[in-house]
Amino acid sequence: PPKEMPPLGPRADAVTHFRFGCATSASYETTSRRPDRRRGECTATARINELTARLELEITIWVPTNARKTLVDHEEGHRVIAERVYETAEKAARAEAAKWVGRSVTGKAANCGAAADAAVRDANHRFCQGYLEATSGWSGRVGDLYDDITDHGRRRRPTAEQAIELAFERDAESRQTADTGRAGDGNAGR
């Protein structure tokens, strides 16, 4: 196998690797600077005015050269899942950005400019974490369900297309159950 190919799991004959990418930049204004000369640091607060994100999806499929059609179809199913989730990427990024634009963030560093930069850099990182959970995390969860349903492509039924739909349905049911459980856990507002 090629050296860049990820290792196969114990039940896998092929692998589909996907990577959801997220890079951000933010425009901001520093709203507070509190130098502490005794400690040799500054605490700065910055208000995020605008957040720009570059989103991408890379997919690589590795199958043996003599792979059976059902295995190839199965790996193509993983590609379809990732691409279907990526269709929601802009919506997920906008929802995550709404949590940050207009928000003030605080950081510490040796000087006030670096402190504001550190605060915004952390916000950019946390934005990408939220976005990746909404996309890559979702795609991974659906892909795991798909593998369970198809026994990693070994089952002839359901078809790959049917298994994809079933995996998305099961994931939606699971998230709905989790959301219902959180709403009634008795800890709301505490």
Side-chain angles (χ1 to χ4, degrees), residues 34-55:
R34 294 183 306 277
D36 185 337
R37 297 193 200 314
R38 194 180 73 223
R39 290 188 174 153
E41 66 182 19
C42 180
T43 301
T45 301
R47 182 181 181 279
I48 298 173
N49 296 322
E50 183 178 71
L51 191 94
T52 303
R54 191 182 83 241
L55 312 173

